[in-house]
Amino acid sequence: MAELLIKNGIVFDPINGVKGEKMDICIKDGKVVESVSSEARVIDASGCIVMPGGVDAHTHVAGGKVNAGRLLRPEDGRKGLEPRTGVCRACSGYSVPNTFATGYRYAKMGYTFLMEPAMPPLKARHMHEELMDTPIVDKAGMPLLDNNWMTLQYAKSGDVEKLAAYIAWMINATKGYGVKIVNPGGTEAWGWRKNCGLEDPVPYFDVTPAEIIKALAEANERLSLPHSIHLHANRLGQPGNYETTLKTYDLVKGTKPSRKRQVMHATHVQFHSYGGTNWGNFESKADEIAKYVDQHEHVTIDLGAVMLGDTTTMTADGPMEYNLYLLTGRKWTNCDVELETGSGITPFLYSGKVAVNTIQWAIGMELALLVKDPWKVVLTTDHPNGGPFITYPILISLLMSRKRREEVMKEVHSVINERALLPTIERELDWYEVAVMTRGTPAKILGLHEHGKGHLGVGADADVAIYEISPEETDAGKIQKALLNAKYTIKGGEVVVKDGEVVAVPEGRTFYVDVRYEDEAVWKEMLSDLEKMFKEYYTVSLANYPVQDDYVPKPYVIKAGAAE
Amino acid sequence: MPTVTDVVCPLCGCLCDDIRVEVEGNAVKKVRGACAVGRAKILGHGRLKSPLLREGDELKECSYEEAIKRAAEILAAARRPLLYGWSCTVCETHKVGILLAEVLGGVIDNTASVCHGPTVQAVQGVGLPTCTLGEVKNRADLVIFWGANPVEAHGNHMRRYSYLTKGWFRPEGKKDRKLVVVDVRESRTARMADIFIRVEPNKDYLVLAALRAIVNGFADVVPESVGGVPKERLVELAEMMKTAQFGIIFFGMGLTQSRYKHNNIEQAISLVRDLYAFTKFAIMPMRGHYNVTGFNQVCTWQTGFPFAVDLARGYAWYNPGETAANDVLSRKECDAALIVASDPAAHFPAECVKHLAKIPLVVIDPYPSPTTEIADVVIPSAVCGVEAEGTAYRMDKVPLRLRKLVETEFLTDEEILERLLDEVLKIKGLQ
């Protein structure tokens, strides 16, 4: 494969401690190397910022729920129509783009890895079909494993060993990456139109969400998976939920990590940082959450920031979406998945004229700015829940420019001065911190830095973003523009974006974890429980359940547990 | 005799995946566990034997190469080609088909446009509170079939998923459930029901609206009889719905293709949404062909829209009523057509079939049909789920992989489409 030499760029590579140094990056055979020959194609990055390809640790881009969102919203599809070109397929959609647009638009922003965080195991095949059709970027998906009847039973009996065996089976069967938890217990309760708080027993299963979370964290570490549990906590979106959030983090304080990383990644924390007791006195508690995160090593977060505008909300948290639908009266889709999970979808307009939305908008940014250590924070909008991923450049420009924040704060609801913290925050992120939150931290949290992602050290994947902007530039508009359309994006050593246009569309790889659980006696007992579930309660047979190799034509396999 | 177990049946939207098939000498000998229609399909029947080209009034045998070349010439020369069908083939075929439609700038549509298209339109208006079939099996204590007759159309549905089956919270199967059937005639399904409500034809909308009024506390505005149903029966049904622990409405073409079409479905879905004020409820279309759902899924993630997609502008334009197969046919707008795995000549309005017969027509299908009779090029293909593997989506959007049970000389739909695409790209100078 051709050699590449990226010359004279200002490089931000946080994992390797590079903080804005003028240096060259050498690329050969898809990897970063020490040096290249004189034959190498030279890319002049003078006056440009060079970073590793972006890693999105939490973005709903593929699978049954995302597709139900597209189907629900032809009006959103119309927003992003782009004709077929000599290189690209036809594109559609804004908050729910088609799979092709997802790949192209992320690549244009310099992102090269996506984590789909909510795969219903029964529909794993669907997620993989869509990932296959998402060009350029590498990707992975995490199966939902918290409301599964097998999990509920093992968590109740406290059988962490069998739970670990079951998780290993499911991750292999779904060709998944890690353990996703969404409103543990609450989604099962939604099967009866109910919901669960952290200490409420799940109907008929007599186990609490707190017990489920603890058991899954233990089992996750028992298997030594690359990623920790990935948690969407109970009571998402409810006023006063920050106390539940902090209690949830405390549950796994004593869990011993099996790798050098957190034991819980708490996702879209903006939605979990609310004070007040009702919508009338709703307020930000981002400071309480930030304080906790700074004081503890066992938990990391991603923002789930809200960007003002129309979007499509979607989550496995069925009851939450129903409540949102009751608030707006707009259209609403729900799909409960047998023995496993659920999902809900409803459109939502975050309006700066609405007090609650304004506070939500502030909280996402407050979290990014109040947590002192950027190695604990990943920049996300929980695409498309807080806003479509295409708004990342806006979010980053706001975080980097207090001037821009002040301009927008003048336009939004005045409640921002009373029940949010943003007006009191002076901090502006610099390019290094942005690189940490969009490259270094997500790669490390997911355990991907050991597999060539999120950095530019020798041996790393040659995934590179080059933005045409000076590190001294402070104009928010220019920052936004540079981030939206990279000067170059290089994926696996191939130039895929040039001057903001997609110029090549290689297939991306699908990463998945091959995990082995070694105690044969426990494995057999778990299998016998599982066989009974399939024989009596599932509507597909055990033999037809696991995802075949046909659905990961370009695999990258990470071994874990006894397979490591 | 070697038995293949856990075979997925490629007949209807149930995708039963517990079929056992005995294979000997590269032939299917016995099929167990399937319904009568599914069994007949897997056992096989009258096939197209060879590719065919029209010469005057006759279809004459030819080679695959000749047929595909002629098909490519027809499609590449067309200004407004229609690519229709897709519901009896696997998703891998759909992907090539959608790419071909993009390259041609054609209109692509599937059979949903004449069955559950109105359902899709209703969902786009109000959403769809639904579930997978196992939720019904394990939880449902009230099962309602509305304008659907699974006993005859989805042979194993009640046994595997909905009524007779036992589940975690319904260990006694049908004893733990109530069955309600709403239909314009007393179907075989209706004869099994605890309650059968006969609605006058084309009055479903009124009955659904009356039920919504009752559920929402406005029984006083409901007249004594609605659509031929006495008010007290509707009050009784509304009460059953409100007090069920988990209720489900399965609806069929009796609701989608009778008068008021998508408005009926919007009412039915809205009724389910209203019931969430009281209890858990879900609603699900009884999808017919085994992979009609799959096409809508693939088309949605690839183009952004589920069916009736016009790619003439280079991007996807979706507007059923303007861009569905019968729209472009009835306006006599399309000047060539590719039909894959479907038989529009037997199901479309006469004026549309007449136009289809007039224009150059390419058909890919394992079987002869009225559509192959009027075709100019006929390309036989392997039977998915028997001779070819691939992905199909069950009516509840659960994807399963169909198996290959026997070897065949026939090319698969996917292979034919890929060759066709190659030829078209060559003609257009794009390769």
Side-chain angles (χ1 to χ4, degrees):
Chain A
M1 196 186 271
E3 295 177 311
L4 272 181
L5 175 60
I6 304 169
K7 275 184 87 80
N8 294 327
I10 306 298
V11 177
F12 290 89
D13 179 13
I15 285 181
N16 294 303
V18 180
K19 302 182 181 184
E21 295 165 31
K22 191 170 193 175
M23 59 191 280
D24 298 343
I25 304 289
C26 301
I27 292 168
K28 191 182 177 185
D29 297 335
K31 299 280 182 188
V32 178
V33 292
E34 289 280 2
S35 61
V36 285
S37 70
S38 55
E39 303 294 303
R41 173 181 169 190
V42 176
I43 289 178
D44 181 10
S46 309
C48 295
I49 287 175
V50 176
M51 290 187 190
V55 176
D56 198 333
H58 190 108
T59 176
H60 299 272
V61 289
K65 169 170 43 63
V66 180
N67 219 29
R70 294 184 190 109
L71 188 140
L72 182 67
R73 302 205 66 194
E75 74 280 17
D76 188 273
R78 284 252 173 118
K79 281 185 195 169
L81 297 175
E82 296 173 59
R84 171 183 176 77
T85 70
V87 179
C88 296
R89 300 286 302 268
C91 292
S92 69
Y94 169 65
S95 65
V96 279
N98 63 340
T99 53
F100 305 127
T102 300
Y104 306 149
R105 290 175 192 168
Y106 261 114
K108 283 192 198 182
M109 298 196 312
Y111 272 73
T112 51
F113 190 96
L114 313 180
M115 178 62 76
E116 160 58 53
M119 172 222 300
L122 182 64
K123 297 183 175 183
R125 214 170 266 106
H126 183 162
M127 183 206 70
H128 283 291
E129 281 218 280
E130 289 199 22
L131 290 185
M132 284 162 75
D133 278 348
T134 306
I136 303 177
V137 293
D138 288 338
K139 49 251 161 174
M142 289 186 285
L144 292 148
L145 292 172
D146 57 319
N147 285 284
N148 312 51
W149 293 357
M150 292 279 282
T151 299
L152 298 180
Q153 289 183 311
Y154 291 152
K156 176 177 159 55
S157 61
D159 201 333
V160 169
E161 286 299 316
K162 275 193 210 157
L163 182 56
Y166 171 62
I167 289 173
W169 191 91
M170 285 296 263
I171 286 181
N172 291 340
T174 59
K175 295 202 177 358
Y177 192 87
V179 176
K180 179 66 186 301
I181 305 175
V182 174
N183 187 5
T187 306
E188 164 53 32
W190 183 240
W192 304 117
R193 205 208 157 280
K194 296 183 166 79
N195 201 351
C196 275
L198 193 58
E199 303 291 345
D200 302 333
V202 182
Y204 299 102
F205 286 92
D206 194 27
V207 60
T208 65
E211 290 165 334
I212 299 168
I213 294 165
K214 274 199 270 191
L216 284 168
E218 292 291 337
N220 193 92
E221 299 314 314
R222 169 71 180 77
L223 292 168
S224 190
L225 293 170
H227 186 34
S228 65
I229 56 168
H230 193 111
L231 176 92
H232 157 149
N234 300 77
R235 295 193 64 208
L236 181 146
Q238 297 176 20
N241 64 8
Y242 84 102
E243 288 175 323
T244 300
T245 307
L246 293 177
K247 274 185 207 156
T248 304
Y249 297 174
D250 254 355
L251 290 171
V252 296
K253 204 157 62 173
T255 304
K256 204 171 155 288
S258 58
R259 290 173 185 260
K260 212 180 140 195
R261 56 150 170 71
Q262 75 288 352
V263 291
M264 172 190 282
H265 177 72
T267 191
H268 41 64
V269 172
Q270 177 275 130
F271 292 111
H272 302 272
S273 305
Y274 301 159
T277 53
N278 58 52
W279 297 118
N281 60 17
F282 182 88
E283 62 177 349
S284 168
K285 287 288 180 186
D287 50 342
E288 296 288 335
I289 302 288
K291 194 168 78 188
Y292 187 101
V293 172
D294 268 329
Q295 286 170 355
H296 296 83
E297 291 306 311
H298 68 280
V299 59
T300 55
I301 65 168
D302 66 76
L303 302 178
V306 157
M307 291 286 95
L308 299 174
D310 184 74
T311 195
T312 310
T313 66
M314 53 177 65
T315 160
D317 192 341
M320 179 268 153
E321 291 288 348
Y322 174 68
N323 289 329
L324 200 56
Y325 147 71
L326 286 183
L327 281 176
T328 67
R330 294 174 72 176
K331 47 195 179 182
W332 165 62
T333 278
N334 179 80
C335 184
D336 299 333
V337 177
E338 64 205 61
L339 285 83
E340 294 179 350
T341 183
S343 69
I345 306 158
T346 195
F348 195 82
L349 173 68
Y350 292 105
S351 167
K353 291 179 185 156
V354 174
V356 170
N357 296 166
T358 300
I359 298 166
Q360 290 179 303
W361 173 76
I363 292 174
M365 285 180 278
E366 290 166 7
L367 287 167
L369 298 167
L370 290 174
V371 176
K372 294 193 186 78
D373 181 0
W375 290 98
K376 287 183 173 165
V377 183
V378 181
L379 186 138
T380 68
T381 57
D382 182 21
H383 164 81
N385 287 303
F389 66 79
I390 203 76
T391 63
Y392 283 2
I394 303 175
L395 173 59
I396 294 170
S397 69
L398 284 161
L399 293 171
M400 293 184 77
S401 166
R402 177 163 161 81
K403 182 162 167 270
R404 181 173 232 191
R405 294 204 295 268
E406 277 173 352
E407 283 164 11
V408 183
M409 282 192 285
K410 273 185 215 144
E411 304 290 320
V412 297
H413 197 289
S414 63
V415 75
I416 195 156
N417 297 308
E418 296 143 33
R419 288 190 261 125
L421 307 161
L422 195 62
T424 67
I425 301 173
E426 302 279 338
R427 184 177 169 194
E428 293 177 326
L429 296 189
D430 60 27
W431 284 106
Y432 173 73
E433 289 168 321
V434 168
V436 175
M437 289 185 189
T438 56
R439 275 75 179 170
T441 309
K444 275 197 155 179
I445 283 175
L446 294 168
L448 284 168
H449 60 304
E450 294 172 6
H451 299 276
K453 295 295 172 195
H455 71 102
L456 294 173
V458 169
D461 287 353
D463 298 351
V464 190
I466 303 175
Y467 302 112
E468 191 166 26
I469 190 163
S470 153
E472 274 78 47
E473 181 60 63
T474 55
D475 182 88
K478 287 182 181 157
I479 292 171
Q480 181 186 329
K481 189 162 169 257
L483 290 172
L484 186 62
N485 291 303
K487 171 92 171 155
Y488 286 94
T489 302
I490 294 157
K491 168 68 182 41
E494 182 177 2
V495 174
V496 291
V497 173
K498 187 169 184 289
D499 298 326
E501 295 295 329
V502 175
V503 293
V505 287
E507 287 174 50
R509 292 172 296 171
T510 298
F511 283 47
Y512 67 89
V513 172
D514 172 18
V515 51
R516 289 282 174 274
Y517 177 86
E518 72 286 1
D519 186 326
E520 276 193 31
V522 174
W523 181 257
K524 275 188 188 153
E525 283 176 46
M526 182 282 294
L527 270 189
S528 135
D529 294 342
L530 189 68
E531 278 158 12
K532 184 173 153 59
M533 282 293 177
F534 274 94
K535 193 161 173 281
E536 297 189 11
Y537 308 118
Y538 269 108
T539 57
V540 301
S541 77
L542 180 59
N544 286 321
Y545 188 88
V547 173
Q548 293 84 353
D549 289 340
D550 308 73
Y551 298 93
V552 278
K554 296 199 77 179
Y556 180 90
V557 185
I558 297 175
K559 293 196 181 294
E564 203 170 357
Chain B
M1 213 180 281
T3 302
V4 189
T5 57
D6 304 296
V7 171
V8 184
C9 174
L11 195 274
C12 80
C14 284
L15 285 186
C16 299
D17 77 334
D18 59 348
I19 314 298
R20 284 148 299 158
V21 177
E22 290 179 17
V23 178
E24 194 181 33
N26 199 41
V28 173
K29 294 292 178 190
K30 254 187 190 161
V31 178
R32 296 174 202 273
C35 65
V37 230
R39 187 166 60 240
K41 170 136 190 214
I42 299 169
L43 280 169
H45 53 88
R47 296 281 293 273
L48 287 164
K49 292 193 172 55
S50 155
L52 305 168
L53 278 181
R54 179 163 300 280
E55 282 178 31
D57 287 342
E58 270 183 274
L59 284 165
K60 294 220 166 126
E61 292 194 358
C62 67
S63 69
Y64 265 121
E65 286 66 30
E66 288 169 300
I68 289 169
K69 190 160 176 294
R70 180 76 196 106
E73 287 163 3
I74 288 173
L75 292 172
R79 295 190 60 193
R80 191 142 174 79
L82 166 68
L83 294 81
Y84 175 83
W86 311 106
S87 300
C88 286
T89 185
V90 291
C91 296
E92 288 74 7
T93 312
H94 302 155
K95 293 181 187 185
V96 191
I98 292 165
L99 177 54
L100 179 62
E102 242 184 58
V103 168
L104 293 169
V107 170
I108 188 159
D109 192 14
N110 84 322
T111 61
S113 100
V114 292
C115 60
H116 276 284
T119 303
V120 173
Q121 288 172 273
V123 171
Q124 290 172 337
V126 291
L128 185 76
T130 188
C131 60
T132 69
L133 288 163
E135 285 290 280
V136 179
K137 169 184 165 77
N138 289 306
R139 296 186 206 264
D141 57 347
L142 175 61
V143 179
I144 300 171
F145 287 100
W146 198 308
N149 182 14
V151 171
E152 282 168 295
H154 294 84
N156 277 342
H157 190 278
M158 294 171 111
R159 177 179 71 78
R160 276 176 59 83
Y161 305 127
S162 54
Y163 179 53
L164 304 170
T165 182
K166 293 173 182 173
W168 180 284
F169 300 102
R170 306 292 165 225
E172 300 299 318
K174 74 170 187 176
K175 283 189 208 152
D176 287 337
R177 313 182 201 267
K178 285 269 181 283
L179 178 66
V180 174
V181 174
V182 186
D183 213 325
V184 294
R185 64 192 172 87
E186 193 176 358
S187 65
R188 280 173 66 192
T189 307
R191 277 179 232 142
M192 295 171 68
D194 295 294
I195 294 179
F196 168 52
I197 293 178
R198 187 197 291 263
V199 182
E200 288 168 7
N202 298 321
K203 300 278 175 71
D204 297 275
Y205 184 90
L206 296 177
V207 174
L208 285 162
L211 276 170
R212 286 191 69 196
I214 295 164
V215 164
N216 289 310
F218 301 103
D220 53 330
V221 302
V222 174
E224 281 315 305
S225 170
V226 181
V229 186
K231 178 177 176 180
E232 66 261 25
R233 302 225 65 197
L234 294 175
V235 170
E236 179 193 8
L237 178 56
E239 198 55 29
M240 278 176 82
M241 289 172 143
K242 282 161 66 176
T243 55
Q245 198 185 12
F246 184 115
I248 173 97
I249 298 174
F250 290 105
F251 63 96
M253 285 169 61
L255 211 51
T256 64
Q257 294 298 331
S258 59
R259 192 158 193 167
Y260 309 120
K261 293 198 161 185
H262 65 275
N263 296 289
N264 296 334
I265 314 305
E266 279 209 19
Q267 278 299 314
I269 295 170
S270 300
L271 170 62
V272 168
R273 300 208 307 191
D274 297 343
L275 285 162
Y276 265 79
F278 306 95
T279 189
K280 183 76 186 184
F281 234 89
I283 182 164
M284 193 187 302
M286 297 285 280
R287 304 302 297 267
H289 296 306
Y290 75 86
N291 202 24
V292 62
T293 306
F295 180 85
N296 299 140
Q297 291 296 318
V298 178
C299 198
T300 301
W301 83 61
Q302 289 210 337
T303 72
F305 308 98
F307 69 107
V309 174
D310 180 356
L311 289 151
R313 297 163 178 86
Y315 53 76
W317 190 253
Y318 165 74
N319 192 21
E322 177 199 349
T323 58
N326 278 301
D327 302 325
V328 289
L329 284 169
S330 64
R331 289 199 303 268
K332 301 184 173 37
E333 201 171 279
C334 66
D335 56 351
L338 168 69
I339 309 295
V340 181
S342 138
D343 183 15
H347 298 101
F348 277 12
E351 53 168 336
C352 294
V353 179
K354 267 185 208 158
H355 185 65
L356 206 52
K358 227 179 264 174
I359 60 177
L361 176 62
V362 181
V363 180
I364 303 173
D365 206 298
Y367 310 106
S369 70
T371 307
T372 59
E373 290 300 309
I374 58 169
D376 299 285
V377 184
V378 178
I379 311 179
S381 61
V383 179
C384 298
V386 181
E387 300 164 342
E389 58 181 327
T391 316
Y393 284 69
R394 206 163 70 177
M395 63 169 68
D396 58 353
K397 306 179 207 85
V398 170
L400 288 164
R401 188 159 186 87
L402 305 186
R403 284 158 197 254
K404 177 176 178 168
L405 306 172
V406 294
E407 296 298 326
T408 179
E409 299 284 307
F410 292 108
L411 297 179
T412 65
D413 293 320
E414 188 188 358
E415 288 165 339
I416 295 165
L417 260 295
E418 269 170 1
R419 288 197 194 184
L420 187 50
L421 175 64
D422 275 351
E423 289 291 331
V424 167
L425 289 171
K426 266 186 224 159
I427 294 170
K428 289 190 171 268
L430 295 167
Q431 199 181 49

